[in-house]
């Protein structure tokens, strides 16, 4: 089987699984988000740990397990955010005491906030479903439009020292594609605040591209081409969700400001 065939099959399977679990919401979706957080943490530590093993022993794994358990049982959002802050602080303090780099704490924060943002955006109501679909539409359209516009137009590189393949034209095309997809999803959902949601879509598209560059920087910093080889033809989970989790956190913060930490989607798509 060719690499292209592997990529297509993997993409179809991942999209179908993601959309099915998004539709169900509740515990199935929280389990899905917990799995994403666990795999992000695994790939991050796999890249970032020195060759002689973890300087902190099994402490980081114990901390991520505590977070995953709290996420699965549905701890209230503010309490879970407080727990994340405590867990990250513990990892950072122990790393400092042992003279280790703070990569374990950074990976814990990145993985935990990724899982938390997705899970609490979805919530268990109709607004949560629409908010997640809006997020998917913007991020996926950004990726697709950036790829094709970048290949067709070319031009100056966006960040050659971090990701040589990305162009400024692709970034602009991705932003336009993300806004169009987000507004179309909002229209289909019957939302009335289209100008506001168009601006949110633009912000998410930009953040998703920054998230992509950030993950590329982490990989380059540690001399890795892919975060792992877990997904045939695609590399690792981080390689596929880097932009998505960055945009999810941004959308969660926007929704939090509008409607509170527990039900952020209601601030974007009121019932």
């Amino acid at each position: 089987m060719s690499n292209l065939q592997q990529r297509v099959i993997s993409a179809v399977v991942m999209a179908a699984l993601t959309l099915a679990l998004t539709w169900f919401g509740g515990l199935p979706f929280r389990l899905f988000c917990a799995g994403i957080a666990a795999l992000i943490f695994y790939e991050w530590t796999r890249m970032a740990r020195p060759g002689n093993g973890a300087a902190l022993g099994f402490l980081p794994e114990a901390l991520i397990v505590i977070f995953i358990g709290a996420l699965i049982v549905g701890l209230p959002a503010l309490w879970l955010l407080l727990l994340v802050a405590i867990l990250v602080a513990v990892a950072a303090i122990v790393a400092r005491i042992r003279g280790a780099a703070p990569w374990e704490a950074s990976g814990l924060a990145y993985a935990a906030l990724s899982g938390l943002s997705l899970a609490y955006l979805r919530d268990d109501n109709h607004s949560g479903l629409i908010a997640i679909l809006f997020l998917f539409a913007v991020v996926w359209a950004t990726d697709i439009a950036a790829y094709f516009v970048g290949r067709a137009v070319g031009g100056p590189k966006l960040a050659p020292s971090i990701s040589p393949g990305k162009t400024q034209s692709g970034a602009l095309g991705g932003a336009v594609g993300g806004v169009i997809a987000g507004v179309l999803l909002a229209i289909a959902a019957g939302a009335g605040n289209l100008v506001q949601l168009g601006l949110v879509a633009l912000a998410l598209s930009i953040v998703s591209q920054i998230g992509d560059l950030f993950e590329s920087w982490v990989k380059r910093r540690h001399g890795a081409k892919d975060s792992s080889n877990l997904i045939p033809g695609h590399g690792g989970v981080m390689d596929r969700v880097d932009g998505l989790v960055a945009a999810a956190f941004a959308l969660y913060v926007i929704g939090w400001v509008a409607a509170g930490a527990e039900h952020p989607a209601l601030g974007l798509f009121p019932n």
Side-chain angles (χ1 to χ4, degrees):
M1 183 181 296
S2 69
N3 185 65
L4 178 60
Q5 290 175 318
Q6 287 184 330
R7 288 181 64 87
V8 171
I9 292 173
S10 297
V12 170
V13 171
M14 288 188 296
L17 177 63
T18 299
L19 291 174
L21 291 173
T22 300
W23 176 264
F24 285 117
L27 179 60
F29 191 74
R30 290 202 305 275
L31 289 169
F32 175 64
C33 295
I36 289 177
L39 289 171
I40 287 175
F41 183 74
Y42 162 74
E43 291 181 346
W44 182 289
T45 54
R46 175 180 173 273
M47 289 189 294
R49 281 178 178 168
N52 59 355
L56 309 187
F58 290 104
L59 176 64
E61 282 77 6
L63 297 177
I64 194 68
V65 167
I66 292 172
F67 164 77
I68 288 172
L71 178 64
I72 291 173
V73 301
L75 194 69
L78 289 176
W79 286 105
L80 188 56
L81 284 164
L82 177 61
L83 177 64
V84 171
I86 293 171
L87 297 177
V88 172
V90 169
I93 291 169
V94 174
R96 186 172 182 83
I97 291 173
R98 297 193 179 182
W103 285 104
E104 304 279 4
S106 301
L108 181 60
Y110 183 67
L113 291 176
S114 297
L116 184 154
S117 300
L118 286 168
Y120 285 83
L121 268 175
R122 174 59 182 91
D123 207 354
D124 286 326
N125 53 41
H126 180 70
S127 294
L129 173 61
I130 300 303
I132 286 289
L133 294 178
F134 177 79
L135 174 71
F136 290 161
V138 172
V139 174
W140 292 350
T142 295
D143 287 345
I144 294 169
Y147 176 78
F148 285 106
V149 172
R151 285 179 64 89
V153 178
K157 300 299 183 181
L158 180 63
S161 64
I162 299 175
S163 185
K166 291 181 172 58
T167 61
Q168 294 177 18
S169 62
L172 180 59
V176 173
V179 170
I180 292 173
V183 171
L184 289 176
L185 189 284
I187 293 172
N193 50 341
L194 295 182
V195 174
Q196 175 188 346
L197 290 173
L199 293 174
V200 171
L202 177 60
L204 295 184
S205 180
I206 294 171
V207 170
S208 74
Q209 296 188 63
I210 293 173
D212 193 340
L213 289 173
F214 171 72
E215 196 253 356
S216 295
W217 174 80
V218 172
K219 289 190 297 184
R220 187 170 291 272
R221 173 67 175 74
H222 296 287
K225 181 179 182 296
D226 295 316
S227 57
S228 75
N229 57 358
L230 291 176
I231 306 174
H234 287 267
V237 172
M238 283 179 62
D239 297 320
R240 299 278 62 82
V241 303
D242 47 11
L244 178 68
V245 296
F249 180 65
L251 189 58
Y252 178 77
V253 171
I254 293 171
W256 182 354
V257 171
E262 296 296 336
H263 306 288
L266 291 174
L268 302 161
F269 298 95
N271 286 327

